[in-house]
Amino acid sequence: MNIKIVCVGKLKEKYFKDGIAEYAKRLSRFAKFKIVEVPDEKAPENMSEAEQEHVKEVEGEKILSKIKDKEYVIVTAIKGRERASEELAKEIADLGTYGHSDITFVIGGSLGTSPAVNKRANDLLSFGKLTMPHQLMRLVLTEQIYRAFMINSGSPYHK
């Protein structure tokens, strides 16, 4: 199975890099895992709605350029469906069983994802209504993907 996270922006803090690297190493026994970063657009605080949409559109084009047709795409979005870890694990297992061996998760920029990215998504995944920094979201998502594989392998890790 191939798991990819496409995300906007660079990871800056060493502690996030270290945490993600640890989970990526652990995941390597279950799947090929990689993170693809696309550059973020400048988004000053006082932007108009039209300017915000433009930023999302430009970032969306960059995200979509990193996704192939055959990939099953799950976009992280507040308006997505929340799941328990066990439910996400089952979905990942089912995707592999039914021929979707290339799964791509998307983490948008600070303004979210464009309508084009959401339209390309096969599913929207919510981690609740909390707002998290994108760097933290990368760590949380990577850990949850690892947790899903541990659940599917029958490991007690997830308890």
Side-chain angles (χ1 to χ4, degrees):
M1 185 166 276
N2 299 302
I3 304 287
K4 176 170 67 177
I5 298 176
V6 177
C7 46
V8 175
K10 291 230 175 274
L11 199 58
K12 296 174 183 102
E13 287 83 0
K14 183 181 181 326
Y15 54 90
F16 286 134
K17 288 179 182 177
D18 291 346
I20 291 168
E22 177 62 28
Y23 287 116
K25 183 176 84 178
R26 293 180 188 188
L27 253 172
S28 68
R29 70 185 241 223
F30 300 110
K32 277 184 158 178
F33 176 76
K34 71 178 178 177
I35 294 178
V36 177
E37 295 177 336
V38 299
D40 56 343
E41 291 293 303
K42 290 197 188 309
E45 301 247 346
N46 57 350
M47 290 189 334
S48 70
E49 216 172 287
E51 290 170 319
Q52 290 179 25
E53 289 305 312
H54 176 73
V55 166
K56 287 196 298 189
E57 190 177 304
V58 171
E59 289 176 346
E61 289 169 6
K62 293 175 189 177
I63 289 168
L64 291 171
S65 75
K66 303 299 180 185
I67 298 172
K68 295 182 177 85
D69 289 343
K70 68 177 182 168
E71 294 173 10
Y72 189 93
V73 178
I74 301 171
V75 173
T76 58
I78 289 175
K79 292 182 179 177
R81 189 169 59 84
E82 290 182 49
R83 306 151 165 88
S85 295
E86 294 81 3
E87 193 177 351
L88 180 62
K90 182 179 181 334
E91 288 177 13
I92 290 173
D94 288 349
L95 286 170
T97 300
Y98 297 108
H100 295 287
S101 59
D102 295 293
I103 303 172
T104 297
F105 292 87
V106 173
I107 301 172
S110 60
L111 299 173
T113 49
S114 69
V117 170
N118 293 340
K119 184 177 179 189
R120 170 60 182 90
N122 297 93
D123 200 358
L124 299 178
L125 171 65
S126 174
F127 282 83
K129 293 182 182 180
L130 296 172
T131 301
M132 288 187 226
H134 290 93
Q135 293 146 332
L136 178 58
M137 188 67 237
R138 269 196 233 186
L139 177 60
V140 170
L141 178 58
T142 304
E143 190 280 337
Q144 284 298 303
I145 294 167
Y146 171 68
R147 181 177 295 268
F149 279 96
M150 291 302 285
I151 290 168
N152 290 339
S153 72
S155 169
Y157 166 83
H158 70 284
K159 298 190 185 229

